Amino acid sequence: MERLQKVIAHAGIASRRKAEQLILQGKVKVNGKVVTELGVKVGPQDKVEVDGIPVEREEPVYYLLYKPRGVISSVKDDKGRKVVTDFFKDVDKRIYPIGRLDYDTSGILLLTNDGDFANLLMHPRYEIEKVYIAKVKGIPTREQLKQLEKGIMLEDGMTAPAKVKMLSINKQKQTAIIEIRIHEGRNRQVRRMFEAIGCKVMKLKRERYAFLDLKGLNPGDYRELTPHEVKQLRALALSGGGK
Ligand code: URA
């Protein structure tokens, strides 16, 4: 037996909190009867409806994809470009990405059909540490890297403290490879942070997401997360994203 709001969240209809609101608003029925209490539990045989539409009950699934460059972090694209769910043709569940990576960014992307889990990991308060490797045009000075670490003003506000490490430089080509660890997940954040110090990002890869890495995977490969990894991610998010 599972809580009604969890069933709704797992079906990808709403976050758990939103699901609670739907229940309180009288929009949810169990076996044809409106339920407005939050404590109700339902089993696999119970028929749940939201706004008169039956909720499809799916087992929650969790995947880690090595997203290649040139793929949209979405379940469909109006322009017919490749999307991340194209790599999951053999998965019959309605999965979607947890957050996004830019079209040209490669690396770790998690996908799930568990709305509750997705919201937890994406919640700004709980944001998990992500490690990116950026190849940039220009060689930033120590001062500039410090600026990135302390926080830098972008058009949507100051960035939170980050950890930055210069991995290598190519003096001839005037490029640098830099590791940057951030907890936030704003749109194009890493690219914008480097732009703010005058270095254009030429290549970007998300190499780690919390304790998860890309070991054993090639671009386009995916694997299921283990139940233990799912549990660890949940615990990490709830404890403050590993900050
Ligand atoms: N930051 C970016 O700029 N792009 C990404 O895809 C992820 C983080």
Side-chain angles (χ1 to χ4, degrees):
M1 297 285 273
E2 270 190 315
R3 278 173 177 270
L4 193 48
Q5 53 265 46
K6 195 169 174 190
V7 169
I8 295 168
H10 273 174
I13 293 167
S15 66
R16 202 184 292 198
R17 198 172 301 170
K18 269 248 180 76
E20 288 176 355
Q21 285 167 5
L22 292 170
I23 295 169
L24 293 171
Q25 288 163 359
K27 294 187 173 172
V28 179
K29 281 187 194 166
V30 176
N31 302 322
K33 273 198 202 132
V34 174
V35 169
T36 52
E37 294 152 50
L38 296 179
V40 172
K41 289 189 169 180
V42 289
Q45 71 293 341
D46 290 315
K47 208 175 133 226
V48 179
E49 289 167 76
V50 175
D51 280 332
I53 299 166
V55 172
E56 276 184 51
R57 313 280 287 279
E58 281 186 354
E59 273 295 298
V61 287
Y62 309 89
Y63 295 101
L64 184 165
L65 170 71
Y66 185 162
K67 177 194 171 296
R69 288 199 285 162
V71 180
I72 308 264
S73 294
S74 177
V75 296
K76 63 171 192 286
D77 181 51
D78 296 341
K79 295 178 193 153
R81 289 170 296 184
K82 208 172 174 69
V83 295
V84 288
T85 43
D86 287 343
F87 294 99
F88 294 84
K89 291 272 198 262
D90 53 338
V91 171
D92 61 357
K93 307 251 177 12
R94 291 167 302 148
I95 57 170
Y96 50 86
I98 301 179
R100 26 188 312 244
L101 289 177
D102 297 336
Y103 182 72
D104 279 327
T105 302
S106 65
I108 293 193
L109 187 65
L110 302 185
L111 293 97
T112 186
N113 58 354
D114 180 346
D116 210 18
F117 182 75
N119 277 305
L120 179 64
L121 293 198
M122 285 192 295
H123 195 293
R125 186 148 38 108
Y126 304 134
E127 281 262 5
I128 297 261
E129 183 177 80
K130 284 143 289 204
V131 182
Y132 295 89
I133 307 291
K135 180 178 182 185
V136 304
K137 188 75 194 157
I139 300 174
T141 63
R142 228 175 233 263
E143 261 321 297
Q144 287 175 316
L145 295 185
K146 276 243 170 73
Q147 255 184 299
L148 292 183
E149 288 204 322
K150 272 198 269 172
I152 197 157
M153 189 52 100
L154 301 179
E155 44 185 51
D156 50 358
M158 278 304 260
T159 60
K163 287 186 193 135
V164 182
K165 207 197 269 176
M166 180 88 86
L167 298 181
S168 67
I169 57 171
N170 185 326
K171 273 200 178 146
Q172 237 172 7
K173 291 191 176 151
Q174 283 295 298
T175 58
I177 298 190
I178 298 160
E179 178 191 279
I180 178 161
R181 296 168 176 251
I182 60 172
H183 284 90
E184 296 170 291
R186 301 193 219 166
N187 190 27
R188 297 177 65 79
Q189 181 165 347
V190 173
R191 291 176 198 273
R192 290 192 291 133
M193 286 173 79
F194 279 106
E195 260 161 40
I197 58 160
C199 295
K200 191 172 165 44
V201 170
M202 303 164 71
K203 238 179 174 185
L204 188 61
K205 179 179 176 188
R206 179 150 79 189
E207 204 160 70
R208 286 174 71 87
Y209 186 98
F211 51 86
L212 297 167
D213 60 29
L214 291 162
K215 249 180 236 145
L217 299 177
N218 291 311
D221 288 349
Y222 69 84
R223 71 168 177 88
E224 253 190 277
L225 294 179
T226 67
H228 184 62
E229 286 171 333
V230 174
K231 230 187 229 175
Q232 270 184 297
L233 284 171
R234 228 183 238 125
L236 194 59
L238 287 170
S239 72
K243 273 176 238 184

